[in-house]
């Protein structure tokens, strides 16, 4: 199943999804590509890929640069420099070999709520909450407690 929503407003967004996909702005890593570009981001089985558009993904085209980023080797957190809370980062865990060196993946969503959804999706998909992001760690712990209570 692919859960898809341009702005991820669906309340049941994480529940039974094998794949999460939607639009984010991705920051380029250097030079002429260092600005933000709209990208169709897909999180599937612990790997993140991104595409020019959803049609490319639907057609089975390889992701841009054929990247399949193993999110379990990254910390996820809101960008501490962003007062709007619409930007978040995947930062490599220092002791992990990500296959992408020290590259930090920076994304921007249209609102702080959408950013919070994506951060939670990446965390549930295997990314590690950044130890300095105490609010994220606390909210994930609360969610885990609620999940366990609901299962009882």
């Amino acid at each position: 199943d692919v859960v898809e929503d341009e702005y991820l407003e669906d309340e049941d967004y994480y529940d039974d999804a094998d794949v999460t996909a939607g639009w984010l702005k991705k920051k380029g890593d250097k030079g002429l590509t260092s600005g933000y570009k709209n990208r169709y981001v897909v999180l599937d089985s612990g790997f993140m890929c991104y595409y020019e558009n959803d049609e490319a993904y639907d057609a089975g085209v390889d992701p841009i640069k054929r990247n399949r980023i193993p999110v379990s080797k990254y910390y996820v957190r809101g960008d501490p420099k962003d007062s709007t809370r619409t930007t978040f980062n995947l930062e490599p865990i220092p002791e992990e070999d990500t296959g992408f060196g020290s590259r930090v993946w920076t994304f921007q969503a249209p609102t702080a709520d959408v950013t919070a959804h994506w951060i939670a999706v990446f965390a549930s998909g295997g990314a590690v909450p950044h130890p300095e992001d105490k609010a994220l760690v606390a909210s994930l712990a609360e969610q885990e407690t609620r999940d366990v209570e609901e299962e009882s």
Side-chain angles (χ1 to χ4, degrees):
D1 294 339
V2 175
V3 174
E4 179 178 0
D5 190 301
E6 183 169 347
Y7 297 113
L8 305 176
E9 294 168 353
D10 185 340
E11 292 297 319
D12 295 326
Y13 166 96
Y14 335 75
D15 287 349
D16 296 319
D18 296 324
V19 178
T20 302
W23 289 97
L24 288 170
K25 292 184 178 196
K26 185 191 83 57
K27 187 173 184 184
D29 60 340
K30 60 186 170 200
L32 297 174
T33 64
S34 65
Y36 283 93
K37 291 184 179 177
N38 286 326
R39 293 293 183 234
Y40 191 70
V41 177
V42 177
L43 184 62
D44 181 4
S45 303
F47 289 89
M48 186 262 303
C49 302
Y50 55 94
Y51 300 82
E52 297 256 344
N53 52 49
D54 52 338
E55 290 88 5
Y57 172 70
D58 292 340
V61 173
D62 283 336
I64 293 175
K65 299 182 184 176
R66 297 185 176 202
N67 287 340
R68 284 182 38 89
I69 293 90
V71 298
S72 64
K73 297 183 178 203
Y74 287 85
Y75 289 124
V76 62
R77 72 164 164 174
D79 187 331
K81 297 177 250 167
D82 177 19
S83 62
T84 67
R85 297 186 357 244
T86 58
T87 306
F88 69 97
N89 299 324
L90 290 177
E91 302 173 7
I93 298 172
E95 48 286 345
E96 294 286 346
D97 177 11
T98 65
F100 296 93
S102 60
R103 165 80 194 268
V104 173
W105 302 88
T106 301
F107 298 94
Q108 190 173 59
T111 68
D113 286 343
V114 174
T115 298
H117 279 293
W118 273 103
I119 289 172
V121 166
F122 273 96
S124 68
V128 179
H130 196 285
E132 292 177 14
D133 196 340
K134 292 178 180 23
L136 173 60
V137 171
S139 92
L140 291 172
E142 287 174 23
Q143 181 61 46
E144 188 173 315
T145 300
R146 280 193 297 273
D147 291 347
V148 167
E149 289 171 354
E150 288 175 7
E151 290 175 5
S152 306

